[in-house]
Amino acid sequence: MKKKITKKGYRVLAIVWTLAAASMSVAFVRRLAEFNLPLLALTALSILVAANFWKSYRRTPEQAQAPRSLFDSPPKFSGDPVLFDDDPPCFDHPNKDSEENTHE
């Protein structure tokens, strides 16, 4: 199964291929005195690929809000905000909690 590329991914690919096309263009211009057909072909191919990624970037719609992760917000417990049923420790008996009271 093919993974879909997001708009952000197309943008990254377009920028990388644009930089590659610019690099190939500079290399071609430096060796302009001695004409090099494979270098010209690579330059043209890099320019076409970069243009294709920019077109794909512009055509790709904005992605809807990403699905929320399970760890984004704490879970809700039937509308009760209390997570534990233990009483806070008292100043006079710091080690005594509600569960110790039931087992005595």
Side-chain angles (χ1 to χ4, degrees):
M1 188 164 129
K2 192 173 174 184
K3 184 177 178 182
K4 292 190 177 192
I5 301 174
T6 61
K7 186 167 183 141
K8 191 175 187 180
Y10 277 121
R11 181 175 167 224
V12 169
L13 287 170
I15 289 171
V16 168
W17 276 102
T18 301
L19 292 174
S23 174
M24 295 301 294
S25 299
V26 168
F28 179 74
V29 170
R30 280 187 168 186
R31 294 182 179 240
L32 199 55
E34 51 189 62
F35 184 75
N36 193 348
L37 187 60
L39 190 59
L40 177 64
L42 282 174
T43 303
L45 184 66
S46 295
I47 292 171
L48 289 174
V49 170
N52 189 20
F53 277 126
W54 280 115
K55 285 180 187 177
S56 298
Y57 167 70
R58 289 186 187 110
R59 279 187 275 166
T60 304
E62 284 290 329
Q63 185 179 6
Q65 185 176 354
R68 291 179 30 152
S69 172
L70 294 174
F71 303 106
D72 285 346
S73 61
K76 306 232 183 302
F77 295 100
S78 303
D80 187 15
V82 177
L83 194 60
F84 301 104
D85 64 347
D86 291 340
D87 294 331
C90 300
F91 291 110
D92 54 345
H93 302 294
N95 293 330
K96 196 173 188 182
D97 63 358
S98 62
E99 290 181 12
E100 290 177 358
N101 290 338
T102 58
H103 295 299
E104 290 180 0

